[in-house]
Amino acid sequence: MKILVTGDAGQLGSYLVGELSKGHEVTGLDLRKPEHPAKGVRHVCGDIGDYRLAMDLCRHADAVIHTAAQVSVDRSVSDPVLDARENILGTLNMLEAATKSMVSQFIYISSAATYGNPQKIPLDEGHPREPLSPYGVSKLAGENYAFAFGATYGLKVTAIRPFNIYSVRQDPDSPYSGVISRFVGRAKAAEPLTVHGDGTQTRDFVHAGDVVAMIGLCLGNPKAHGQAFNCGTGKAVSVNQLADMVIKLSGKKIGRENYESRIGDIMHIIPDISKAKKVLGYRPATDLKKGLAEFF
Ligand code: UD1
């Protein structure tokens, strides 16, 4: 199959193209040059908002996997217009190009942030969606557009809603990286861990490799068409528990600094992943302990 992956220089995209290149002809599209280029993958430097480029690439693709996005909740709060441009207009552009090029499947990487604060736990895919942050809104808009293209133009769409993705490939120095990368980076430098709020907020941390596995299960699978799937491990860990684990693994005496809660921060989030298990046969393979050990 010929597959176009947007965001191949990103954390998820970089693992994804590596895996897909084993059995497919893969092209990656990203603004940045990949730090971990995969053998046999053609990389194109460019913007998902560039319609002519998107058309050129989609014309030669059987499937599009859209991972490119502005991924930081915090950044969406400080620059909601940039967030909307990348996550809404960028997605819309890719959907338009994919539809006009008659690709056979469009897999949209959505987000658990589209749910907002849970009204019931665990959260299944039918849970109401009331995002708290501009980021949650933009990811939800992208997903809604994707399904609207399915209903209106017949594009075969699958949405995957990852919880908190982590891996050694996330940049620890970026202020917009996830909490695991931030904590590990600081622990390695023997600096105190920065906890926002009281640290009791929970997240389900899912290794990038497990998200790649779910995408693989959806690719070319008619049971995935028109469907959305939660992607996590099904287990939640608090930020305080995460800090304990990172400090223990570092083997150093490291303190913590408490800061104000972040604006738009969700308190508790635990996914129900039974739909993906049942429909796709998805089984997360990396638990947090094993995943964190990779960093040290
Ligand atoms: C993350 C993802 C987002 C994804 C969403 C799905 C990143 C950067 N963001 O958002 O793309 O769609 O999950 O659920 O990966 N925290 C600290 N100290 C820090 C950094 C963070 O205490 O130094 C706290 C935050 O306040 C938050 C929690 O850790 O409560 C997780 O934050 P973060 O890793 O930035 O991810 P989310 O905002 O959950």
Side-chain angles (χ1 to χ4, degrees):
M1 208 190 265
K2 289 179 186 159
I3 304 171
L4 173 64
V5 176
T6 67
D8 63 316
Q11 171 180 222
L12 175 62
S14 75
Y15 284 99
L16 181 63
V17 293
E19 203 49 44
L20 293 175
S21 65
K22 293 173 188 165
H24 302 279
E25 198 180 316
V26 183
T27 301
L29 168 65
D30 203 299
L31 281 172
R32 293 171 298 151
K33 218 172 138 218
E35 244 183 76
H36 307 275
K39 222 175 139 201
V41 172
R42 180 169 80 111
H43 170 73
V44 176
C45 261
D47 191 338
I48 52 168
D50 178 341
Y51 182 68
R52 275 176 62 181
L53 178 61
M55 275 304 284
D56 270 356
L57 297 175
C58 284
R59 226 178 260 131
H60 299 104
D62 301 312
V64 175
I65 306 175
H66 183 45
T67 83
Q70 187 301 106
V71 298
S72 164
V73 172
D74 223 20
R75 191 174 190 194
S76 81
V77 173
S78 54
D79 197 344
V81 174
L82 173 141
D83 178 78
R85 197 178 301 125
E86 292 194 13
N87 293 354
I88 304 179
L89 293 180
T91 298
L92 192 52
N93 197 50
M94 291 311 303
L95 285 166
E96 174 89 343
T99 303
K100 291 240 165 83
S101 308
M102 292 188 286
V103 306
S104 58
Q105 191 177 16
F106 190 99
I107 300 181
Y108 173 70
I109 306 304
S110 180
S111 167
T114 58
Y115 291 114
N117 267 330
Q119 294 168 17
K120 67 178 175 73
I121 277 173
L123 271 154
D124 64 17
E125 288 81 354
H127 187 282
R129 300 215 281 158
E130 295 171 2
L132 297 182
S133 60
Y135 169 78
V137 171
S138 68
K139 292 301 288 186
L140 178 57
E143 190 183 318
N144 285 343
Y145 267 117
F147 284 122
F149 269 65
T152 314
Y153 309 115
L155 183 68
K156 292 193 173 79
V157 170
T158 301
I160 294 180
R161 298 176 190 156
F163 283 66
N164 289 51
I165 307 177
Y166 71 96
S167 75
V168 291
R169 290 194 184 169
Q170 204 178 46
D171 177 8
D173 299 322
S174 163
Y176 300 121
S177 281
V179 63
I180 291 188
S181 304
R182 305 284 302 151
F183 278 7
V184 170
R186 293 185 72 87
K188 285 190 173 169
E191 287 167 355
L193 307 190
T194 50
V195 175
H196 291 271
D198 65 3
T200 58
Q201 67 270 38
T202 54
R203 293 291 186 275
D204 180 356
F205 296 101
V206 58
H207 192 276
D210 282 326
V211 186
V212 168
M214 184 180 284
I215 295 170
L217 292 167
C218 291
L219 196 63
N221 181 352
K223 285 193 219 151
H225 295 162
Q227 299 295 323
F229 298 100
N230 282 341
C231 184
T233 67
K235 289 180 200 126
V237 168
S238 73
V239 168
N240 285 332
Q241 286 170 321
L242 175 70
D244 289 341
M245 292 170 85
V246 170
I247 292 170
K248 197 169 167 202
L249 277 166
S250 76
K252 295 180 189 152
K253 266 201 156 170
I254 290 161
R256 299 164 200 222
E257 283 169 357
N258 278 85
Y259 291 85
E260 291 278 292
S261 293
R262 285 177 167 177
I263 300 166
D265 206 33
I266 291 168
M267 267 313 281
H268 297 295
I269 191 148
I270 307 173
D272 179 343
I273 57 168
S274 53
K275 180 178 172 187
K277 283 183 166 170
K278 199 169 145 211
V279 177
L280 304 171
Y282 166 73
R283 298 280 179 279
T286 307
D287 68 13
L288 186 56
K289 220 169 151 188
K290 185 172 150 197
L292 282 180
E294 255 183 54
F295 287 84
F296 292 90

